[in-house]
Amino acid sequence: MPADVAIIMGSQSDWPTMRHAADILDELDVGYRALIVSAHRTPDRMYEFARSAKADGYKVVIAGAGGAAHLPGMVAALTPLPVLGVPVRSKALSGKDSLLSIVQMPAGIPVGTLAIGEAGAANAALMATAILALSDDALAARLDSWRAARTASVAEQPSDED
Amino acid sequence: MPADVAIIMGSQSDWPTMRHAADILDELDVGYRALIVSAHRTPDRMYEFARSAKADGYKVVIAGAGGAAHLPGMVAALTPLPVLGVPVRSKALSGKDSLLSIVQMPAGIPVGTLAIGEAGAANAALMATAILALSDDALAARLDSWRAARTASVAEQPSDED
Amino acid sequence: MPADVAIIMGSQSDWPTMRHAADILDELDVGYRALIVSAHRTPDRMYEFARSAKADGYKVVIAGAGGAAHLPGMVAALTPLPVLGVPVRSKALSGKDSLLSIVQMPAGIPVGTLAIGEAGAANAALMATAILALSDDALAARLDSWRAARTASVAEQPSDED
Amino acid sequence: MPADVAIIMGSQSDWPTMRHAADILDELDVGYRALIVSAHRTPDRMYEFARSAKADGYKVVIAGAGGAAHLPGMVAALTPLPVLGVPVRSKALSGKDSLLSIVQMPAGIPVGTLAIGEAGAANAALMATAILALSDDALAARLDSWRAARTASVAEQPSDED
Amino acid sequence: MPADVAIIMGSQSDWPTMRHAADILDELDVGYRALIVSAHRTPDRMYEFARSAKADGYKVVIAGAGGAAHLPGMVAALTPLPVLGVPVRSKALSGKDSLLSIVQMPAGIPVGTLAIGEAGAANAALMATAILALSDDALAARLDSWRAARTASVAEQPSDED
Amino acid sequence: MPADVAIIMGSQSDWPTMRHAADILDELDVGYRALIVSAHRTPDRMYEFARSAKADGYKVVIAGAGGAAHLPGMVAALTPLPVLGVPVRSKALSGKDSLLSIVQMPAGIPVGTLAIGEAGAANAALMATAILALSDDALAARLDSWRAARTASVAEQPSDED
Amino acid sequence: MPADVAIIMGSQSDWPTMRHAADILDELDVGYRALIVSAHRTPDRMYEFARSAKADGYKVVIAGAGGAAHLPGMVAALTPLPVLGVPVRSKALSGKDSLLSIVQMPAGIPVGTLAIGEAGAANAALMATAILALSDDALAARLDSWRAARTASVAEQPSDED
Amino acid sequence: MPADVAIIMGSQSDWPTMRHAADILDELDVGYRALIVSAHRTPDRMYEFARSAKADGYKVVIAGAGGAAHLPGMVAALTPLPVLGVPVRSKALSGKDSLLSIVQMPAGIPVGTLAIGEAGAANAALMATAILALSDDALAARLDSWRAARTASVAEQPSDED
């Protein structure tokens, strides 16, 4: 299975968040690779990754980072591929800094930004899937099933049990 | 030229922002249709639009809204297509409410959110283009040229003239 | 006892908050039904609920949701009944996103918004009761007693015991 | 026409905002009285107003105030009637202080809070109407017409004219 | 010892914060009384307290409250005595709502506001002492000693021990 | 008339705000002196002012500053007199930075903080007056009259004229 | 005069802010060069600038940017020189996004951040001067004079003239 | 080894944060002294420290403080040396108050501000090192090695182990 999606993150500490993206891609049978690429600590690695991402066969990049989160925007500056950004929750500001650093990109370089934290990571994977499904009917069918199953799983009434 | 992109917005007052998306799509020769679809004032129209968007041939939906901005998230709940959200600047809170209402979607229903205001509208168009370019090499080439021209246009030094 | 009030919420995880509304309605002998209705995961269920809420005999709808909280506003767009919104506390932003997503509705579609979290859920029930009491003198008397008892229960001085 | 609704505000400077509530009530043929009642400058007037509001025949109170906005909550403490709060935009903080001062009421004393500024004032009037319409079928019909006319007035496409 | 200072608070749950004011007054030998006076649950008690505070011999009122914190401002509207406000930390917004509800008073009715939480309670007591010391030289001397002792207690270097 | 109150401010640009304090003291016949004392540009002047303020006969210090507003807190560290702080509106953050820099003092050094901007300046003067009135019955009577006149000036109903 | 300081900025639109840095360096006779280097539009130019900045003889880099401001942090990742960041005021969020994007750098890559806007630009120049003055006694003397003159220019009392 | 860097902090409670600065300086073999200097509790000590810092041989001052954090800015007003500020996380506002109190300095007195908390403390040490390295080639080499080692330590892929 080729890796259509790259899940990159600034550090090992982002993995507990970003693995929610990997889990969804596993469920939907979408190929991906998860890599640590730090804009600040490994800027050369980032350049190389971003500059060759398209030639390497990736179609969508999911980038997660926290605090002054520059990874998604910098990768978007260096590749024409669609880049999805996941603001990882930060210690002091709970991800508000991550969110603004990722979403407030100037005109010209877009980053499709998802919610802060685990929900955002899961949704980045679903968004990547929706993008890939535009030219993959089988994947589109799997995504439809996933969504339908999720709808069907919602109980009618709240339960006091949990 | 088929309309691959739908640009929808909650009201006429969002158009001065959202036309920046239309302008970029015009520059890049991407077909689109611009529609007013209000989640709150025309919920039935929204349902119909979103439920039939894929069958109508759209591939990407760009949705702009301000304040308690529910349009992008509701459309994303009703279509499997990728949905991009543009937070329109609001009067009292300058778009901070629009941003949070759009980006903080729960796991399961993604909205790829762009920056507040005009920059976000322009970037939604560029993001839509990058998505469409995945299966359209001619468009990919046009996007590369657009990006290269933009890079080339940056002056070396600031000018006191303007 | 007919169900005058519908307590709806986006997911089971909102119930620990929303049951404070149910508790108050129990204390005041107001009929209600508690339902899970997700704007994002079950949009059709939401449409059906909201469109038939008045015909089903409800008089007031209490809707709780967190994050990009679209449920209260969307229901308000689909029913002429008074809708009360409860911003549920969210993980990263502690309910600030929920509050703005619920309260900042555009002119035309009102949601009477209460405080973030449990206090808001309790107060939504009290507000619903005050609305119903306008045409139910017995209920008005029960509400007056409830309020008087609560006033009487306030100690004169703080105690070091707790 | 009896005054079912009291529109109160902390000062003359709130009237440009609050008259949007009056305008909507005029359109819907709902009786109201507009009064200046300041929690801080005229606390006795506020006590008298709130303590006698029900006996005076009011059914709903709409209270607008800005900054450290105590009027809605204090009136809600003094009357069993439903109280709707409108956060008026403040100079330095653009109504964020008004919003939090009104909406964050402790459990026991609810204020149904609307959006900051003019939209909130208009919506308070619509909310009051929805409440009154529960026991007034003619008013319910007028409200339905008002909502339907508003839905019908939404153009299909944005116009470059304005 | 006459009670020169009233320490009032909206509920028993504010006492763990407000007792830091009491502790400081104990240390400085300033007479005080601690009372629960809720603007929302016991508005009549609040009126009576505030209206008679001066006649009852109080010289300074310290008022603590959280969330939509109306107690300090309402008391300030009802008594000519200096009123000091302490924003108690709230659950969802960590006292930011309390702070804005207390400090953003309109021109005409001042509340001298201290920091959020325990530091603010302690400082309200020190501020009250500084006010009383203006006409009590013995108290002024005690306050000077207290401040000097505190200055003297600051170590020269940080210690790894704690 | 001796100057009981010092009105100090960080720069000439604060005077349009702080003169609202001076105006109120003029109305109430309270002696004051207005001085520019910058914590950052004239730290020695600040030290001398604060260290000698009590000996110079001042009883209350009103300090206004904007941005990283250190003047009120530093003066409070250097004098035992009660210090009132006025957060001046700042350009980028509209006084939110000024407010937090003034109000969030650590336990031990209190600054009684008023609202952001002109209302805060006026209220600092009223608070200073209330403090001085504790030992000046004539001033207390003037303050009572001022408050009563202000209450009496509140119109019953809003006027469309302004 | 060699250029010890590089003043870089993301776009021409930052120059009205950043020229305040240039003005201060002119006053203090410090050599500098002002360049447009966009992290997002000209990432290669940024890499080349940053990688060769030390070899090119620069000693301090001042970088200004707005919104999702990645320039200061990325340059700091690519050069061992001290980097000072200036958050330029942004349209929707008034520079709050710029500030957080610049200051919240992860451990390992420091950016010395100054205030939002013109004050920050001026202070970046003063900070650069203080750094260079550590090994340049003549410059240290000029900086001392500049500071002394500024202190001397503060009037004793506010003037109603301006 | 002479102490080129002073690490000062407002209280012992800041040491768990500020020791991250000390640790980095230890790793890089930079001489420093750690001192408690409180702007509010020991203003005289602060004056003496700051006034003599240059004569005492310090070249850079790192100042950490929380809440209404005045220490960095006041020291910067009293010494021509470069001052780096570390916003310590505060209890109620998580360091947002500390950040604004430190970074928003007026034009004329710069404080190079780092991130909130431990990352900021570590980065202040790295920034001080970069400044000292401008005239110390051996230190520059050590800093280069430190940065290179850090880059080399970044794993290629996230690990599920931790």
Side-chain angles (χ1 to χ4, degrees):
Chain A
M1 184 166 64
D4 284 333
V5 179
I7 302 176
I8 62 175
M9 65 211 78
S11 94
Q12 171 67 31
S13 65
D14 299 322
W15 183 231
T17 300
M18 297 310 293
R19 75 169 52 154
H20 289 80
D23 290 348
I24 293 281
L25 295 180
D26 282 334
E27 288 182 39
L28 287 161
D29 232 343
V30 175
Y32 66 91
R33 208 162 291 142
L35 302 166
I36 299 181
V37 177
S38 166
H40 299 128
R41 290 182 299 154
T42 63
D44 290 318
R45 190 189 293 180
M46 180 187 74
Y47 254 60
E48 282 151 34
F49 166 81
R51 281 295 189 209
S52 65
K54 191 177 174 183
D56 288 347
Y58 293 118
K59 291 184 179 150
V60 180
V61 178
I62 295 174
H70 301 175
L71 183 65
M74 284 311 301
V75 169
L78 291 159
T79 179
L81 294 175
V83 175
L84 304 176
V86 178
V88 172
R89 229 173 344 148
S90 53
K91 219 166 156 181
L93 299 181
S94 208
K96 224 176 113 181
D97 43 2
S98 324
L99 172 58
L100 295 178
S101 302
I102 292 175
V103 81
Q104 285 295 82
M105 291 293 289
I109 305 294
V111 173
T113 306
L114 289 307
I116 297 169
E118 304 179 0
N123 278 347
L126 289 165
M127 184 92 186
T129 302
I131 290 169
L132 295 171
L134 289 174
S135 54
D136 179 342
D137 288 346
L139 181 56
R142 289 202 298 280
L143 180 57
D144 284 346
S145 300
W146 190 93
R147 287 168 62 109
R150 219 162 143 282
T151 297
S153 76
V154 179
E156 295 284 331
Q157 290 179 310
S159 152
D160 288 336
E161 302 300 291
D162 75 337
Chain B
M1 185 165 66
D4 285 332
V5 178
I7 301 175
I8 63 175
M9 65 211 78
S11 95
Q12 170 67 31
S13 64
D14 299 323
W15 184 230
T17 300
M18 298 310 293
R19 74 169 52 153
H20 289 80
D23 290 348
I24 293 281
L25 295 180
D26 281 336
E27 288 182 38
L28 288 161
D29 233 342
V30 175
Y32 66 90
R33 208 163 291 141
L35 302 166
I36 299 181
V37 177
S38 167
H40 299 129
R41 291 181 299 154
T42 63
D44 290 319
R45 189 189 294 180
M46 180 185 75
Y47 252 62
E48 282 151 33
F49 166 80
R51 282 297 190 206
S52 65
K54 191 178 174 184
D56 289 347
Y58 293 118
K59 290 184 180 151
V60 180
V61 178
I62 294 174
H70 301 175
L71 182 65
M74 285 310 300
V75 168
L78 290 159
T79 180
L81 295 175
V83 176
L84 304 177
V86 179
V88 173
R89 226 166 354 141
S90 53
K91 220 168 156 178
L93 300 181
S94 208
K96 223 175 113 182
D97 43 0
S98 324
L99 172 59
L100 295 179
S101 302
I102 292 175
V103 80
Q104 285 295 83
M105 291 292 289
I109 305 293
V111 173
T113 307
L114 290 307
I116 298 169
E118 304 178 1
N123 278 347
L126 289 165
M127 184 93 187
T129 302
I131 291 170
L132 295 170
L134 288 175
S135 54
D136 180 341
D137 289 345
L139 181 56
R142 289 201 300 280
L143 180 57
D144 284 346
S145 300
W146 190 94
R147 287 169 62 109
R150 220 162 143 283
T151 296
S153 75
V154 179
E156 294 284 332
Q157 290 179 309
S159 151
D160 287 336
E161 302 300 290
D162 75 338
Chain C
M1 184 166 64
D4 285 331
V5 179
I7 302 175
I8 63 175
M9 65 211 79
S11 95
Q12 170 67 31
S13 65
D14 299 322
W15 183 231
T17 299
M18 298 310 292
R19 74 171 52 156
H20 289 80
D23 290 348
I24 293 281
L25 296 180
D26 282 334
E27 287 182 40
L28 288 161
D29 233 342
V30 175
Y32 67 91
R33 208 163 290 144
L35 302 166
I36 299 180
V37 177
S38 167
H40 298 130
R41 291 181 300 155
T42 63
D44 290 318
R45 190 189 294 180
M46 180 186 74
Y47 254 61
E48 282 151 34
F49 166 80
R51 281 296 189 209
S52 65
K54 191 178 173 182
D56 288 348
Y58 293 117
K59 291 184 179 150
V60 180
V61 178
I62 294 174
H70 301 175
L71 184 64
M74 284 310 301
V75 169
L78 291 159
T79 180
L81 294 175
V83 175
L84 304 177
V86 179
V88 173
R89 229 175 342 149
S90 53
K91 221 168 155 178
L93 299 182
S94 208
K96 224 175 114 180
D97 43 1
S98 324
L99 171 59
L100 295 178
S101 302
I102 292 175
V103 81
Q104 284 294 83
M105 291 293 289
I109 304 293
V111 173
T113 307
L114 290 305
I116 297 169
E118 304 178 0
N123 279 348
L126 290 165
M127 185 93 185
T129 303
I131 291 169
L132 296 170
L134 289 174
S135 56
D136 179 342
D137 288 347
L139 181 56
R142 289 202 299 280
L143 180 56
D144 284 346
S145 301
W146 190 94
R147 287 168 61 109
R150 217 162 145 282
T151 297
S153 75
V154 179
E156 294 285 331
Q157 290 179 309
S159 151
D160 288 336
E161 302 299 292
D162 76 337
Chain D
M1 184 164 66
D4 285 333
V5 179
I7 301 176
I8 63 175
M9 65 211 79
S11 94
Q12 170 67 30
S13 65
D14 299 322
W15 183 231
T17 299
M18 298 310 294
R19 73 168 54 154
H20 289 80
D23 289 349
I24 293 281
L25 295 180
D26 281 335
E27 288 183 38
L28 287 161
D29 234 342
V30 174
Y32 66 90
R33 208 162 292 144
L35 302 166
I36 298 181
V37 178
S38 166
H40 300 130
R41 291 182 298 154
T42 63
D44 290 318
R45 191 191 292 180
M46 179 185 76
Y47 253 62
E48 282 151 34
F49 166 81
R51 281 296 190 209
S52 65
K54 191 179 174 183
D56 288 348
Y58 293 119
K59 290 183 180 152
V60 181
V61 178
I62 294 174
H70 301 175
L71 182 66
M74 284 310 301
V75 168
L78 291 160
T79 179
L81 294 176
V83 175
L84 304 176
V86 179
V88 173
R89 225 163 0 138
S90 53
K91 219 168 157 179
L93 300 181
S94 207
K96 224 175 113 182
D97 44 0
S98 325
L99 171 59
L100 295 179
S101 302
I102 292 175
V103 81
Q104 285 294 83
M105 291 292 290
I109 305 293
V111 173
T113 306
L114 290 306
I116 298 169
E118 303 178 1
N123 279 347
L126 288 166
M127 184 93 187
T129 304
I131 291 169
L132 296 170
L134 289 174
S135 55
D136 179 343
D137 288 346
L139 181 56
R142 289 202 299 279
L143 180 57
D144 284 346
S145 301
W146 190 95
R147 287 169 61 109
R150 219 162 145 283
T151 296
S153 75
V154 179
E156 293 284 332
Q157 290 178 310
S159 151
D160 288 335
E161 302 300 291
D162 75 337
Chain E
M1 185 166 62
D4 285 332
V5 179
I7 301 176
I8 63 175
M9 66 212 79
S11 94
Q12 170 67 33
S13 64
D14 299 322
W15 183 230
T17 299
M18 298 310 294
R19 74 168 55 154
H20 288 81
D23 290 347
I24 293 282
L25 295 180
D26 282 335
E27 286 182 41
L28 287 161
D29 233 341
V30 175
Y32 67 91
R33 208 163 291 143
L35 303 167
I36 299 180
V37 177
S38 166
H40 300 128
R41 290 182 298 155
T42 63
D44 291 318
R45 190 190 294 180
M46 180 186 74
Y47 254 60
E48 282 152 34
F49 166 80
R51 281 294 189 211
S52 65
K54 191 179 174 183
D56 288 348
Y58 294 118
K59 292 185 179 149
V60 180
V61 178
I62 294 174
H70 301 175
L71 182 65
M74 285 310 301
V75 169
L78 291 158
T79 180
L81 294 176
V83 176
L84 304 176
V86 179
V88 173
R89 232 180 335 153
S90 53
K91 219 167 157 179
L93 299 181
S94 207
K96 222 175 114 180
D97 44 1
S98 324
L99 172 59
L100 295 178
S101 302
I102 293 175
V103 80
Q104 285 294 84
M105 291 293 290
I109 305 293
V111 173
T113 307
L114 290 306
I116 298 169
E118 303 178 1
N123 278 348
L126 289 166
M127 184 93 186
T129 303
I131 291 170
L132 296 170
L134 288 174
S135 55
D136 180 343
D137 288 346
L139 181 56
R142 289 202 298 280
L143 179 57
D144 284 346
S145 301
W146 190 94
R147 286 168 63 108
R150 219 162 143 282
T151 297
S153 76
V154 179
E156 294 284 332
Q157 291 179 307
S159 150
D160 288 336
E161 302 299 291
D162 76 335
Chain F
M1 186 165 64
D4 284 333
V5 179
I7 301 176
I8 63 174
M9 65 211 79
S11 94
Q12 170 68 31
S13 64
D14 299 322
W15 183 231
T17 299
M18 298 310 293
R19 74 168 55 153
H20 289 81
D23 290 348
I24 293 281
L25 295 180
D26 281 334
E27 288 183 39
L28 287 161
D29 233 342
V30 175
Y32 66 90
R33 208 163 293 145
L35 302 167
I36 299 181
V37 177
S38 167
H40 299 128
R41 290 182 298 154
T42 63
D44 291 318
R45 191 190 293 181
M46 180 185 77
Y47 252 61
E48 282 152 35
F49 167 80
R51 281 295 189 210
S52 65
K54 191 178 173 183
D56 288 348
Y58 293 119
K59 291 184 179 151
V60 180
V61 178
I62 295 175
H70 301 175
L71 183 65
M74 284 310 301
V75 168
L78 291 160
T79 179
L81 294 175
V83 175
L84 305 176
V86 178
V88 173
R89 229 171 348 145
S90 53
K91 219 167 159 181
L93 300 182
S94 208
K96 223 176 115 180
D97 44 1
S98 325
L99 172 59
L100 295 179
S101 301
I102 293 175
V103 80
Q104 285 295 83
M105 291 292 289
I109 305 293
V111 173
T113 307
L114 290 306
I116 297 168
E118 303 177 1
N123 278 348
L126 288 166
M127 184 93 186
T129 304
I131 291 169
L132 296 171
L134 289 174
S135 55
D136 179 343
D137 287 346
L139 181 56
R142 289 202 300 280
L143 180 57
D144 284 346
S145 301
W146 189 94
R147 287 168 61 109
R150 218 162 145 283
T151 297
S153 75
V154 180
E156 294 284 331
Q157 290 179 310
S159 151
D160 287 336
E161 302 301 291
D162 76 336
Chain G
M1 186 165 65
D4 285 333
V5 179
I7 302 177
I8 63 174
M9 64 211 79
S11 94
Q12 170 68 31
S13 64
D14 299 323
W15 182 231
T17 300
M18 298 310 293
R19 75 169 52 152
H20 290 80
D23 290 348
I24 293 281
L25 294 180
D26 281 336
E27 288 183 39
L28 287 161
D29 232 342
V30 175
Y32 66 90
R33 208 163 292 143
L35 302 166
I36 299 181
V37 178
S38 166
H40 299 128
R41 291 182 298 155
T42 63
D44 291 318
R45 191 190 292 181
M46 180 185 75
Y47 253 61
E48 281 152 34
F49 166 80
R51 281 296 190 208
S52 64
K54 192 179 173 184
D56 288 348
Y58 293 119
K59 291 187 180 149
V60 180
V61 178
I62 295 175
H70 301 175
L71 182 65
M74 284 310 302
V75 168
L78 291 160
T79 179
L81 295 175
V83 176
L84 305 177
V86 179
V88 173
R89 229 170 349 144
S90 53
K91 220 167 158 179
L93 300 182
S94 207
K96 223 175 115 181
D97 43 2
S98 324
L99 172 58
L100 295 178
S101 301
I102 292 175
V103 81
Q104 285 294 82
M105 291 293 288
I109 305 293
V111 173
T113 307
L114 290 306
I116 298 169
E118 304 177 0
N123 278 347
L126 289 166
M127 185 92 186
T129 303
I131 290 170
L132 295 170
L134 289 174
S135 54
D136 179 342
D137 288 347
L139 181 56
R142 289 202 299 279
L143 180 57
D144 283 347
S145 300
W146 190 94
R147 287 168 62 109
R150 219 163 144 281
T151 297
S153 75
V154 179
E156 294 284 332
Q157 291 179 308
S159 151
D160 287 337
E161 301 300 292
D162 77 338
Chain H
M1 187 166 62
D4 285 332
V5 179
I7 301 176
I8 63 176
M9 65 211 80
S11 94
Q12 170 67 32
S13 65
D14 298 324
W15 183 231
T17 299
M18 297 311 293
R19 73 169 55 153
H20 289 80
D23 289 348
I24 293 281
L25 295 181
D26 281 335
E27 287 183 39
L28 287 161
D29 232 342
V30 175
Y32 67 90
R33 209 162 290 143
L35 302 167
I36 298 181
V37 177
S38 167
H40 299 128
R41 291 181 298 154
T42 63
D44 291 318
R45 190 190 295 181
M46 180 186 75
Y47 254 61
E48 281 151 35
F49 166 80
R51 281 295 189 210
S52 65
K54 191 179 173 183
D56 288 348
Y58 293 117
K59 291 185 179 149
V60 180
V61 178
I62 294 174
H70 301 175
L71 182 64
M74 285 309 301
V75 168
L78 290 160
T79 180
L81 294 175
V83 176
L84 304 176
V86 178
V88 173
R89 227 166 355 140
S90 53
K91 219 167 158 180
L93 299 181
S94 208
K96 225 176 112 181
D97 43 1
S98 325
L99 172 58
L100 295 178
S101 303
I102 292 175
V103 80
Q104 285 295 83
M105 291 292 289
I109 305 293
V111 173
T113 307
L114 290 307
I116 298 169
E118 304 178 0
N123 278 347
L126 288 166
M127 184 93 186
T129 303
I131 291 170
L132 295 171
L134 288 174
S135 54
D136 179 343
D137 288 346
L139 181 55
R142 289 201 299 279
L143 180 56
D144 283 346
S145 301
W146 190 95
R147 286 168 62 109
R150 219 161 143 283
T151 297
S153 75
V154 179
E156 294 284 331
Q157 291 179 309
S159 150
D160 288 336
E161 302 300 289
D162 75 337

